[in-house]
Amino acid sequence: FKQKTAYEIRLSLVGSEMCIRDRVGIFGGFEFFYNGPARERLVEQQQAQAELQQQQQVATQTETTEPGEAPGAAAPSTGIVTREQALTTSSATRIAIDTQEVDGSISLQGARIDDLNLRQYRQTIDAESAEVTVLAPINTQFGHDAFFGWEVQAGDATSTLSDSRSQWTAAEGSRLTPSTPVVLTFEGGDGRAIVRTISIDEHFMFTITDVVRNTSGAPLQVRPFGTVRRDGPPEHYKNLPIVHQGLIGAFGPNNNLHQTRFSDADKHARDRERGRVGEDERIQEAQGTGGWFGITEHYWLAAIIPDQNERVSTYFDSRTEDGRNDYRAAYRGQWRELPAGGEITYTQRFFAGAKRYELLRDYQAGNDTPGTQAIPRFDDAIDWGNFWFLTRPFFAMLHWFGQTFAGWGIIF
């Protein structure tokens, strides 16, 4: 294949990012002239990226304080450690994830989903090589996670009820499998509490259901939020013009596709450091109903899917913290009343895994599990390119042959 990757790619992995990319030579002339003016910018971006990666070797981690993450609260800076060290240190406060497709754990600090490996994908063509890692604790060199929380409004004051640093509890021996959901509990004080149930399907989709309770004597206004974040680019990242890697989602009034490359997010972070971008200015921001958003690599995706009836404000952002660029795709939901002595329930989902065409299509149609909501444009997590009106039907043909004859060789 043209792409220089050491990953073993299964037949069912996204064909548009494999075979279609190899066949895109048909349109090579266009790509050459279209991307020509960007060559100099690409070199500059790669140089800036190299400098950033050098800084990351000695950088320390500070969690970015943003809306929905304890505004005004300063997180303690901790040194960068290896993934193994991070997991060993926090092993007593983790819940194991164990399915046929993934393994990993959930941190009880912030109820973060921050440790996930793909069992059916390896880092090299050697079947005994390490599994592909999709998520890792945020204080590691290639930290990548997702967390979900709540904001509360009492009178004119708005504060964070739970965020990425809140301490949750779970029953001893809890283990997340497709047949055994886990239940986490958070006590927020002043009669406020959250009971969170996390389940996972046979593939890569988590379902997070929160029951927020108010045993105080006064009503409250609360709203949910969620964030997918990554510190620095992926370990095997290469800035390739023909495949999108970075922030991605379908959101806004019509759930249109939004994309921001890592290189463009890096520029935004640099411009903020230089005062060219306002402190609270986002890369992209839109309001709408439902949709999805996250961070994508060449073959892997981490994305939050809010309730499809929820009115949400979604944004992309990046900023430099201690020498590392922090990329974020995040949202806030709508305010709702939590009556005194009452409770409310809210459900959202989180996808973390391989961008397999048929699987994404099933989620998009709502066919993965009876009663689940359809996810608009979820197969656009695949980069179909500028000629999507040609690559989509071309891939459909290749995919049919591949499924029918157990391989694409007959086509060639």
Side-chain angles (χ1 to χ4, degrees):
F1 296 113
K2 182 175 71 174
Q3 303 296 349
K4 296 180 180 178
T5 175
Y7 294 133
E8 176 184 356
I9 307 301
R10 287 176 36 184
L11 174 64
S12 56
L13 191 56
V14 180
S16 69
E17 295 185 310
M18 295 162 45
C19 191
I20 286 181
R21 293 301 176 206
D22 297 331
R23 311 311 298 171
V24 80
I26 297 172
F27 314 108
F30 176 86
E31 287 294 334
F32 176 80
F33 290 109
Y34 179 84
N35 289 304
R39 301 300 180 190
E40 291 184 3
R41 293 199 308 272
L42 179 59
V43 171
E44 179 184 351
Q45 291 164 358
Q46 289 174 333
Q47 289 174 343
Q49 186 62 54
E51 293 174 1
L52 179 62
Q53 288 176 340
Q54 288 177 353
Q55 294 173 349
Q56 289 172 0
Q57 300 299 321
V58 296
T60 55
Q61 160 66 21
T62 299
E63 289 185 323
T64 302
T65 298
E66 290 213 343
E69 192 177 1
S77 180
T78 58
I80 302 302
V81 299
T82 66
R83 180 171 174 272
E84 290 71 22
Q85 289 173 321
L87 294 177
T88 299
T89 301
S90 61
S91 60
T93 57
R94 287 189 169 274
I95 296 174
I97 303 171
D98 185 11
T99 79
Q100 290 187 350
E101 294 240 28
V102 301
D103 61 78
S105 60
I106 298 170
S107 173
L108 289 178
Q109 184 181 42
R112 306 174 186 172
I113 304 176
D114 67 350
D115 171 32
L116 199 69
N117 305 307
L118 306 184
R119 281 187 156 144
Q120 299 184 17
Y121 300 89
R122 302 287 168 174
Q123 294 191 14
T124 75
I125 59 175
D126 183 355
E128 300 302 318
S129 67
E131 297 170 344
V132 167
T133 295
V134 176
L135 302 177
I138 204 64
N139 63 326
T140 62
Q141 185 175 5
F142 302 102
H144 187 17
D145 68 1
F147 61 90
F148 309 85
W150 288 83
E151 290 180 327
V152 60
Q153 190 175 62
D156 295 330
T158 299
S159 60
T160 301
L161 174 58
S162 68
D163 63 12
S164 66
R165 295 182 292 275
S166 302
Q167 194 62 46
W168 295 69
T169 59
E172 185 176 355
S174 296
R175 190 177 190 85
L176 179 59
T177 74
S179 59
T180 58
V182 296
V183 178
L184 314 182
T185 302
F186 172 72
E187 296 293 340
D190 297 326
R192 307 165 184 176
I194 305 171
V195 177
R196 174 169 295 173
T197 302
I198 303 177
S199 61
I200 189 171
D201 67 8
E202 297 288 346
H203 303 293
F204 311 122
M205 188 69 80
F206 296 80
T207 300
I208 299 98
T209 300
D210 284 352
V211 178
V212 186
R213 293 173 177 161
N214 176 18
T215 59
S216 72
L220 302 169
Q221 294 289 318
V222 296
R223 68 177 175 185
F225 66 83
T227 301
V228 179
R229 63 181 172 178
R230 171 181 278 284
D231 267 5
E235 182 176 3
H236 302 286
Y237 171 68
K238 292 183 180 179
N239 193 349
L240 302 173
I242 62 172
V243 59
H244 176 71
Q245 298 180 86
L247 303 161
I248 189 171
F251 55 87
N254 300 307
N255 285 325
N256 292 327
L257 183 66
H258 295 73
Q259 295 178 317
T260 298
R261 292 181 177 275
F262 284 127
S263 55
D264 293 327
D266 289 339
K267 182 179 183 301
H268 182 84
R270 291 197 302 271
D271 286 346
R272 175 178 275 122
E273 290 288 295
R274 297 167 181 172
R276 299 174 182 173
V277 169
E279 183 61 27
D280 296 326
E281 185 176 343
R282 313 296 191 188
I283 301 173
Q284 296 192 52
E285 187 168 15
Q287 294 184 345
T289 301
W292 60 274
F293 54 89
I295 300 176
T296 186
E297 300 179 44
H298 197 153
Y299 302 115
W300 329 117
L301 171 70
I304 290 175
I305 303 99
D307 186 293
Q308 294 304 292
N309 296 314
E310 182 80 2
R311 182 73 179 173
V312 297
S313 177
T314 306
Y315 66 85
F316 295 160
D317 199 11
S318 64
R319 61 186 66 227
T320 302
E321 293 288 337
D322 291 336
R324 301 206 298 178
N325 282 352
D326 177 285
Y327 311 110
R328 296 191 177 213
Y331 88 104
R332 281 183 170 121
Q334 60 199 29
W335 289 108
R336 63 206 70 199
E337 183 172 348
L338 178 56
E343 65 181 38
I344 59 171
T345 301
Y346 177 71
T347 298
Q348 57 195 313
R349 288 177 286 172
F350 173 61
F351 176 96
K355 297 187 289 186
R356 298 207 300 255
Y357 173 74
E358 288 190 343
L359 184 59
L360 295 180
R361 296 281 291 179
D362 282 344
Y363 289 133
Q364 178 170 299
N367 294 333
D368 53 305
T369 304
T372 58
Q373 296 175 325
I375 306 173
R377 303 189 64 165
F378 203 44
D379 67 349
D380 276 328
I382 300 168
D383 186 358
W384 298 98
N386 295 315
F387 291 100
W388 57 269
F389 53 89
L390 295 177
T391 56
R392 275 183 174 271
F394 186 56
F395 172 70
M397 178 188 69
L398 293 177
H399 187 67
W400 182 85
F401 273 102
Q403 295 294 308
T404 303
F405 300 101
W408 289 324
I410 189 173
I411 304 174
F412 305 106

mmCIF file with all atom_site columns, all heavy atoms in Angstrom, residues 56 61-62 64 138-144 229-233 324-327:
data_model
loop_
_atom_site.group_PDB
_atom_site.id
_atom_site.type_symbol
_atom_site.label_atom_id
_atom_site.label_alt_id
_atom_site.label_comp_id
_atom_site.label_asym_id
_atom_site.label_entity_id
_atom_site.label_seq_id
_atom_site.pdbx_PDB_ins_code
_atom_site.Cartn_x
_atom_site.Cartn_y
_atom_site.Cartn_z
_atom_site.occupancy
_atom_site.B_iso_or_equiv
_atom_site.pdbx_formal_charge
_atom_site.auth_seq_id
_atom_site.auth_comp_id
_atom_site.auth_asym_id
_atom_site.auth_atom_id
_atom_site.pdbx_PDB_model_num
ATOM 1   N N   . GLN A 1 56  ? 8.043   18.063 23.892 1.00 0.00 ? 56  GLN A N   1
ATOM 2   C CA  . GLN A 1 56  ? 7.227   17.123 24.648 1.00 0.00 ? 56  GLN A CA  1
ATOM 3   C C   . GLN A 1 56  ? 8.067   16.138 25.450 1.00 0.00 ? 56  GLN A C   1
ATOM 4   O O   . GLN A 1 56  ? 7.608   15.586 26.438 1.00 0.00 ? 56  GLN A O   1
ATOM 5   C CB  . GLN A 1 56  ? 6.303   16.344 23.702 1.00 0.00 ? 56  GLN A CB  1
ATOM 6   C CG  . GLN A 1 56  ? 5.196   17.187 23.124 1.00 0.00 ? 56  GLN A CG  1
ATOM 7   C CD  . GLN A 1 56  ? 4.418   16.458 22.053 1.00 0.00 ? 56  GLN A CD  1
ATOM 8   O OE1 . GLN A 1 56  ? 4.712   15.316 21.735 1.00 0.00 ? 56  GLN A OE1 1
ATOM 9   N NE2 . GLN A 1 56  ? 3.444   17.134 21.492 1.00 0.00 ? 56  GLN A NE2 1
ATOM 10  N N   . GLN A 1 61  ? 2.782   18.033 32.382 1.00 0.00 ? 61  GLN A N   1
ATOM 11  C CA  . GLN A 1 61  ? 1.371   18.088 32.013 1.00 0.00 ? 61  GLN A CA  1
ATOM 12  C C   . GLN A 1 61  ? 0.560   18.899 33.002 1.00 0.00 ? 61  GLN A C   1
ATOM 13  O O   . GLN A 1 61  ? 0.648   18.703 34.197 1.00 0.00 ? 61  GLN A O   1
ATOM 14  C CB  . GLN A 1 61  ? 0.810   16.648 31.973 1.00 0.00 ? 61  GLN A CB  1
ATOM 15  C CG  . GLN A 1 61  ? -0.687  16.527 32.080 1.00 0.00 ? 61  GLN A CG  1
ATOM 16  C CD  . GLN A 1 61  ? -1.375  17.114 30.872 1.00 0.00 ? 61  GLN A CD  1
ATOM 17  O OE1 . GLN A 1 61  ? -0.787  17.260 29.818 1.00 0.00 ? 61  GLN A OE1 1
ATOM 18  N NE2 . GLN A 1 61  ? -2.625  17.454 31.056 1.00 0.00 ? 61  GLN A NE2 1
ATOM 19  N N   . THR A 1 62  ? -0.224  19.836 32.468 1.00 0.00 ? 62  THR A N   1
ATOM 20  C CA  . THR A 1 62  ? -1.226  20.539 33.260 1.00 0.00 ? 62  THR A CA  1
ATOM 21  C C   . THR A 1 62  ? -2.546  20.438 32.532 1.00 0.00 ? 62  THR A C   1
ATOM 22  O O   . THR A 1 62  ? -2.618  20.762 31.369 1.00 0.00 ? 62  THR A O   1
ATOM 23  C CB  . THR A 1 62  ? -0.863  22.023 33.433 1.00 0.00 ? 62  THR A CB  1
ATOM 24  O OG1 . THR A 1 62  ? 0.379   22.110 34.118 1.00 0.00 ? 62  THR A OG1 1
ATOM 25  C CG2 . THR A 1 62  ? -1.946  22.747 34.226 1.00 0.00 ? 62  THR A CG2 1
ATOM 26  N N   . THR A 1 64  ? -5.883  21.455 31.054 1.00 0.00 ? 64  THR A N   1
ATOM 27  C CA  . THR A 1 64  ? -6.395  22.755 30.655 1.00 0.00 ? 64  THR A CA  1
ATOM 28  C C   . THR A 1 64  ? -7.708  23.034 31.367 1.00 0.00 ? 64  THR A C   1
ATOM 29  O O   . THR A 1 64  ? -8.600  22.209 31.399 1.00 0.00 ? 64  THR A O   1
ATOM 30  C CB  . THR A 1 64  ? -6.624  22.765 29.133 1.00 0.00 ? 64  THR A CB  1
ATOM 31  O OG1 . THR A 1 64  ? -5.393  22.475 28.503 1.00 0.00 ? 64  THR A OG1 1
ATOM 32  C CG2 . THR A 1 64  ? -7.135  24.107 28.679 1.00 0.00 ? 64  THR A CG2 1
ATOM 33  N N   . ILE A 1 138 ? -3.972  10.740 30.416 1.00 0.00 ? 138 ILE A N   1
ATOM 34  C CA  . ILE A 1 138 ? -3.619  12.052 29.893 1.00 0.00 ? 138 ILE A CA  1
ATOM 35  C C   . ILE A 1 138 ? -2.243  12.517 30.351 1.00 0.00 ? 138 ILE A C   1
ATOM 36  O O   . ILE A 1 138 ? -1.643  13.401 29.721 1.00 0.00 ? 138 ILE A O   1
ATOM 37  C CB  . ILE A 1 138 ? -4.706  13.084 30.283 1.00 0.00 ? 138 ILE A CB  1
ATOM 38  C CG1 . ILE A 1 138 ? -4.713  14.265 29.299 1.00 0.00 ? 138 ILE A CG1 1
ATOM 39  C CG2 . ILE A 1 138 ? -4.548  13.520 31.724 1.00 0.00 ? 138 ILE A CG2 1
ATOM 40  C CD1 . ILE A 1 138 ? -5.086  13.896 27.896 1.00 0.00 ? 138 ILE A CD1 1
ATOM 41  N N   . ASN A 1 139 ? -1.689  11.941 31.421 1.00 0.00 ? 139 ASN A N   1
ATOM 42  C CA  . ASN A 1 139 ? -0.367  12.347 31.878 1.00 0.00 ? 139 ASN A CA  1
ATOM 43  C C   . ASN A 1 139 ? 0.756   11.497 31.280 1.00 0.00 ? 139 ASN A C   1
ATOM 44  O O   . ASN A 1 139 ? 1.866   11.482 31.785 1.00 0.00 ? 139 ASN A O   1
ATOM 45  C CB  . ASN A 1 139 ? -0.285  12.310 33.407 1.00 0.00 ? 139 ASN A CB  1
ATOM 46  C CG  . ASN A 1 139 ? -0.471  10.900 33.971 1.00 0.00 ? 139 ASN A CG  1
ATOM 47  O OD1 . ASN A 1 139 ? -1.222  10.113 33.414 1.00 0.00 ? 139 ASN A OD1 1
ATOM 48  N ND2 . ASN A 1 139 ? 0.190   10.603 35.071 1.00 0.00 ? 139 ASN A ND2 1
ATOM 49  N N   . THR A 1 140 ? 0.446   10.802 30.167 1.00 0.00 ? 140 THR A N   1
ATOM 50  C CA  . THR A 1 140 ? 1.474   10.075 29.436 1.00 0.00 ? 140 THR A CA  1
ATOM 51  C C   . THR A 1 140 ? 1.832   10.850 28.170 1.00 0.00 ? 140 THR A C   1
ATOM 52  O O   . THR A 1 140 ? 1.157   11.815 27.803 1.00 0.00 ? 140 THR A O   1
ATOM 53  C CB  . THR A 1 140 ? 0.997   8.658  29.067 1.00 0.00 ? 140 THR A CB  1
ATOM 54  O OG1 . THR A 1 140 ? -0.152  8.752  28.206 1.00 0.00 ? 140 THR A OG1 1
ATOM 55  C CG2 . THR A 1 140 ? 0.613   7.875  30.314 1.00 0.00 ? 140 THR A CG2 1
ATOM 56  N N   . GLN A 1 141 ? 2.877   10.422 27.477 1.00 0.00 ? 141 GLN A N   1
ATOM 57  C CA  . GLN A 1 141 ? 3.367   11.203 26.343 1.00 0.00 ? 141 GLN A CA  1
ATOM 58  C C   . GLN A 1 141 ? 2.326   11.361 25.242 1.00 0.00 ? 141 GLN A C   1
ATOM 59  O O   . GLN A 1 141 ? 2.235   12.406 24.605 1.00 0.00 ? 141 GLN A O   1
ATOM 60  C CB  . GLN A 1 141 ? 4.630   10.568 25.770 1.00 0.00 ? 141 GLN A CB  1
ATOM 61  C CG  . GLN A 1 141 ? 5.264   11.412 24.657 1.00 0.00 ? 141 GLN A CG  1
ATOM 62  C CD  . GLN A 1 141 ? 6.568   10.852 24.159 1.00 0.00 ? 141 GLN A CD  1
ATOM 63  O OE1 . GLN A 1 141 ? 6.975   9.778  24.573 1.00 0.00 ? 141 GLN A OE1 1
ATOM 64  N NE2 . GLN A 1 141 ? 7.229   11.572 23.267 1.00 0.00 ? 141 GLN A NE2 1
ATOM 65  N N   . PHE A 1 142 ? 1.531   10.323 24.997 1.00 0.00 ? 142 PHE A N   1
ATOM 66  C CA  . PHE A 1 142 ? 0.506   10.395 23.960 1.00 0.00 ? 142 PHE A CA  1
ATOM 67  C C   . PHE A 1 142 ? -0.878  10.260 24.599 1.00 0.00 ? 142 PHE A C   1
ATOM 68  O O   . PHE A 1 142 ? -1.720  9.484  24.155 1.00 0.00 ? 142 PHE A O   1
ATOM 69  C CB  . PHE A 1 142 ? 0.745   9.310  22.907 1.00 0.00 ? 142 PHE A CB  1
ATOM 70  C CG  . PHE A 1 142 ? 2.093   9.396  22.254 1.00 0.00 ? 142 PHE A CG  1
ATOM 71  C CD1 . PHE A 1 142 ? 3.119   8.534  22.616 1.00 0.00 ? 142 PHE A CD1 1
ATOM 72  C CD2 . PHE A 1 142 ? 2.360   10.374 21.301 1.00 0.00 ? 142 PHE A CD2 1
ATOM 73  C CE1 . PHE A 1 142 ? 4.377   8.622  22.024 1.00 0.00 ? 142 PHE A CE1 1
ATOM 74  C CE2 . PHE A 1 142 ? 3.611   10.475 20.705 1.00 0.00 ? 142 PHE A CE2 1
ATOM 75  C CZ  . PHE A 1 142 ? 4.624   9.594  21.072 1.00 0.00 ? 142 PHE A CZ  1
ATOM 76  N N   . GLY A 1 143 ? -1.102  11.057 25.648 1.00 0.00 ? 143 GLY A N   1
ATOM 77  C CA  . GLY A 1 143 ? -2.357  10.983 26.384 1.00 0.00 ? 143 GLY A CA  1
ATOM 78  C C   . GLY A 1 143 ? -3.571  11.272 25.512 1.00 0.00 ? 143 GLY A C   1
ATOM 79  O O   . GLY A 1 143 ? -3.568  12.191 24.691 1.00 0.00 ? 143 GLY A O   1
ATOM 80  N N   . HIS A 1 144 ? -4.621  10.481 25.693 1.00 0.00 ? 144 HIS A N   1
ATOM 81  C CA  . HIS A 1 144 ? -5.833  10.603 24.867 1.00 0.00 ? 144 HIS A CA  1
ATOM 82  C C   . HIS A 1 144 ? -6.972  9.987  25.662 1.00 0.00 ? 144 HIS A C   1
ATOM 83  O O   . HIS A 1 144 ? -6.923  8.801  26.007 1.00 0.00 ? 144 HIS A O   1
ATOM 84  C CB  . HIS A 1 144 ? -5.608  9.855  23.554 1.00 0.00 ? 144 HIS A CB  1
ATOM 85  C CG  . HIS A 1 144 ? -6.688  10.035 22.536 1.00 0.00 ? 144 HIS A CG  1
ATOM 86  N ND1 . HIS A 1 144 ? -7.632  11.040 22.582 1.00 0.00 ? 144 HIS A ND1 1
ATOM 87  C CD2 . HIS A 1 144 ? -6.982  9.302  21.415 1.00 0.00 ? 144 HIS A CD2 1
ATOM 88  C CE1 . HIS A 1 144 ? -8.446  10.933 21.536 1.00 0.00 ? 144 HIS A CE1 1
ATOM 89  N NE2 . HIS A 1 144 ? -8.082  9.886  20.827 1.00 0.00 ? 144 HIS A NE2 1
ATOM 90  N N   . ARG A 1 229 ? -10.249 14.570 24.366 1.00 0.00 ? 229 ARG A N   1
ATOM 91  C CA  . ARG A 1 229 ? -9.039  15.372 24.307 1.00 0.00 ? 229 ARG A CA  1
ATOM 92  C C   . ARG A 1 229 ? -7.815  14.503 23.999 1.00 0.00 ? 229 ARG A C   1
ATOM 93  O O   . ARG A 1 229 ? -7.789  13.304 24.264 1.00 0.00 ? 229 ARG A O   1
ATOM 94  C CB  . ARG A 1 229 ? -8.818  16.129 25.622 1.00 0.00 ? 229 ARG A CB  1
ATOM 95  C CG  . ARG A 1 229 ? -8.605  15.228 26.818 1.00 0.00 ? 229 ARG A CG  1
ATOM 96  C CD  . ARG A 1 229 ? -8.408  16.006 28.099 1.00 0.00 ? 229 ARG A CD  1
ATOM 97  N NE  . ARG A 1 229 ? -8.385  15.102 29.247 1.00 0.00 ? 229 ARG A NE  1
ATOM 98  C CZ  . ARG A 1 229 ? -8.181  15.485 30.503 1.00 0.00 ? 229 ARG A CZ  1
ATOM 99  N NH1 . ARG A 1 229 ? -8.000  16.766 30.773 1.00 0.00 ? 229 ARG A NH1 1
ATOM 100 N NH2 . ARG A 1 229 ? -8.173  14.598 31.489 1.00 0.00 ? 229 ARG A NH2 1
ATOM 101 N N   . ARG A 1 230 ? -6.837  15.155 23.430 1.00 0.00 ? 230 ARG A N   1
ATOM 102 C CA  . ARG A 1 230 ? -5.560  14.495 23.135 1.00 0.00 ? 230 ARG A CA  1
ATOM 103 C C   . ARG A 1 230 ? -4.447  15.493 23.397 1.00 0.00 ? 230 ARG A C   1
ATOM 104 O O   . ARG A 1 230 ? -4.543  16.653 22.990 1.00 0.00 ? 230 ARG A O   1
ATOM 105 C CB  . ARG A 1 230 ? -5.510  14.013 21.674 1.00 0.00 ? 230 ARG A CB  1
ATOM 106 C CG  . ARG A 1 230 ? -4.131  13.528 21.261 1.00 0.00 ? 230 ARG A CG  1
ATOM 107 C CD  . ARG A 1 230 ? -4.083  13.079 19.810 1.00 0.00 ? 230 ARG A CD  1
ATOM 108 N NE  . ARG A 1 230 ? -4.577  11.734 19.640 1.00 0.00 ? 230 ARG A NE  1
ATOM 109 C CZ  . ARG A 1 230 ? -3.905  10.639 19.962 1.00 0.00 ? 230 ARG A CZ  1
ATOM 110 N NH1 . ARG A 1 230 ? -2.714  10.736 20.512 1.00 0.00 ? 230 ARG A NH1 1
ATOM 111 N NH2 . ARG A 1 230 ? -4.416  9.457  19.765 1.00 0.00 ? 230 ARG A NH2 1
ATOM 112 N N   . ASP A 1 231 ? -3.397  15.047 24.070 1.00 0.00 ? 231 ASP A N   1
ATOM 113 C CA  . ASP A 1 231 ? -2.231  15.892 24.295 1.00 0.00 ? 231 ASP A CA  1
ATOM 114 C C   . ASP A 1 231 ? -1.157  15.523 23.284 1.00 0.00 ? 231 ASP A C   1
ATOM 115 O O   . ASP A 1 231 ? -0.546  14.449 23.363 1.00 0.00 ? 231 ASP A O   1
ATOM 116 C CB  . ASP A 1 231 ? -1.699  15.705 25.718 1.00 0.00 ? 231 ASP A CB  1
ATOM 117 C CG  . ASP A 1 231 ? -2.295  16.718 26.687 1.00 0.00 ? 231 ASP A CG  1
ATOM 118 O OD1 . ASP A 1 231 ? -3.172  17.477 26.238 1.00 0.00 ? 231 ASP A OD1 1
ATOM 119 O OD2 . ASP A 1 231 ? -1.896  16.756 27.848 1.00 0.00 ? 231 ASP A OD2 1
ATOM 120 N N   . GLY A 1 232 ? -0.947  16.413 22.321 1.00 0.00 ? 232 GLY A N   1
ATOM 121 C CA  . GLY A 1 232 ? 0.025   16.152 21.263 1.00 0.00 ? 232 GLY A CA  1
ATOM 122 C C   . GLY A 1 232 ? -0.556  15.219 20.208 1.00 0.00 ? 232 GLY A C   1
ATOM 123 O O   . GLY A 1 232 ? -1.582  14.566 20.415 1.00 0.00 ? 232 GLY A O   1
ATOM 124 N N   . PRO A 1 233 ? 0.090   15.144 19.055 1.00 0.00 ? 233 PRO A N   1
ATOM 125 C CA  . PRO A 1 233 ? -0.394  14.285 17.974 1.00 0.00 ? 233 PRO A CA  1
ATOM 126 C C   . PRO A 1 233 ? -0.169  12.808 18.291 1.00 0.00 ? 233 PRO A C   1
ATOM 127 O O   . PRO A 1 233 ? 0.559   12.479 19.234 1.00 0.00 ? 233 PRO A O   1
ATOM 128 C CB  . PRO A 1 233 ? 0.458   14.725 16.777 1.00 0.00 ? 233 PRO A CB  1
ATOM 129 C CG  . PRO A 1 233 ? 1.734   15.209 17.399 1.00 0.00 ? 233 PRO A CG  1
ATOM 130 C CD  . PRO A 1 233 ? 1.323   15.866 18.691 1.00 0.00 ? 233 PRO A CD  1
ATOM 131 N N   . ARG A 1 324 ? 3.051   21.301 25.248 1.00 0.00 ? 324 ARG A N   1
ATOM 132 C CA  . ARG A 1 324 ? 2.282   20.324 24.480 1.00 0.00 ? 324 ARG A CA  1
ATOM 133 C C   . ARG A 1 324 ? 0.971   20.956 24.031 1.00 0.00 ? 324 ARG A C   1
ATOM 134 O O   . ARG A 1 324 ? 0.333   21.687 24.789 1.00 0.00 ? 324 ARG A O   1
ATOM 135 C CB  . ARG A 1 324 ? 1.990   19.072 25.312 1.00 0.00 ? 324 ARG A CB  1
ATOM 136 C CG  . ARG A 1 324 ? 3.226   18.347 25.812 1.00 0.00 ? 324 ARG A CG  1
ATOM 137 C CD  . ARG A 1 324 ? 2.956   16.884 26.049 1.00 0.00 ? 324 ARG A CD  1
ATOM 138 N NE  . ARG A 1 324 ? 1.940   16.649 27.074 1.00 0.00 ? 324 ARG A NE  1
ATOM 139 C CZ  . ARG A 1 324 ? 1.520   15.426 27.409 1.00 0.00 ? 324 ARG A CZ  1
ATOM 140 N NH1 . ARG A 1 324 ? 2.006   14.372 26.778 1.00 0.00 ? 324 ARG A NH1 1
ATOM 141 N NH2 . ARG A 1 324 ? 0.624   15.261 28.360 1.00 0.00 ? 324 ARG A NH2 1
ATOM 142 N N   . ASN A 1 325 ? 0.576   20.631 22.810 1.00 0.00 ? 325 ASN A N   1
ATOM 143 C CA  . ASN A 1 325 ? -0.700  21.125 22.302 1.00 0.00 ? 325 ASN A CA  1
ATOM 144 C C   . ASN A 1 325 ? -1.821  20.207 22.753 1.00 0.00 ? 325 ASN A C   1
ATOM 145 O O   . ASN A 1 325 ? -1.777  18.994 22.536 1.00 0.00 ? 325 ASN A O   1
ATOM 146 C CB  . ASN A 1 325 ? -0.668  21.231 20.778 1.00 0.00 ? 325 ASN A CB  1
ATOM 147 C CG  . ASN A 1 325 ? 0.082   22.464 20.322 1.00 0.00 ? 325 ASN A CG  1
ATOM 148 O OD1 . ASN A 1 325 ? 0.450   23.310 21.129 1.00 0.00 ? 325 ASN A OD1 1
ATOM 149 N ND2 . ASN A 1 325 ? 0.337   22.560 19.034 1.00 0.00 ? 325 ASN A ND2 1
ATOM 150 N N   . ASP A 1 326 ? -2.819  20.796 23.368 1.00 0.00 ? 326 ASP A N   1
ATOM 151 C CA  . ASP A 1 326 ? -3.979  20.076 23.878 1.00 0.00 ? 326 ASP A CA  1
ATOM 152 C C   . ASP A 1 326 ? -5.114  20.263 22.878 1.00 0.00 ? 326 ASP A C   1
ATOM 153 O O   . ASP A 1 326 ? -5.590  21.373 22.674 1.00 0.00 ? 326 ASP A O   1
ATOM 154 C CB  . ASP A 1 326 ? -4.349  20.645 25.250 1.00 0.00 ? 326 ASP A CB  1
ATOM 155 C CG  . ASP A 1 326 ? -5.594  20.016 25.851 1.00 0.00 ? 326 ASP A CG  1
ATOM 156 O OD1 . ASP A 1 326 ? -6.714  20.348 25.393 1.00 0.00 ? 326 ASP A OD1 1
ATOM 157 O OD2 . ASP A 1 326 ? -5.445  19.207 26.769 1.00 0.00 ? 326 ASP A OD2 1
ATOM 158 N N   . TYR A 1 327 ? -5.524  19.162 22.223 1.00 0.00 ? 327 TYR A N   1
ATOM 159 C CA  . TYR A 1 327 ? -6.615  19.208 21.243 1.00 0.00 ? 327 TYR A CA  1
ATOM 160 C C   . TYR A 1 327 ? -7.903  18.756 21.931 1.00 0.00 ? 327 TYR A C   1
ATOM 161 O O   . TYR A 1 327 ? -7.918  17.752 22.643 1.00 0.00 ? 327 TYR A O   1
ATOM 162 C CB  . TYR A 1 327 ? -6.335  18.278 20.064 1.00 0.00 ? 327 TYR A CB  1
ATOM 163 C CG  . TYR A 1 327 ? -4.968  18.424 19.450 1.00 0.00 ? 327 TYR A CG  1
ATOM 164 C CD1 . TYR A 1 327 ? -4.012  17.417 19.598 1.00 0.00 ? 327 TYR A CD1 1
ATOM 165 C CD2 . TYR A 1 327 ? -4.621  19.547 18.700 1.00 0.00 ? 327 TYR A CD2 1
ATOM 166 C CE1 . TYR A 1 327 ? -2.754  17.527 19.025 1.00 0.00 ? 327 TYR A CE1 1
ATOM 167 C CE2 . TYR A 1 327 ? -3.356  19.668 18.126 1.00 0.00 ? 327 TYR A CE2 1
ATOM 168 C CZ  . TYR A 1 327 ? -2.425  18.653 18.292 1.00 0.00 ? 327 TYR A CZ  1
ATOM 169 O OH  . TYR A 1 327 ? -1.179  18.761 17.736 1.00 0.00 ? 327 TYR A OH  1
#
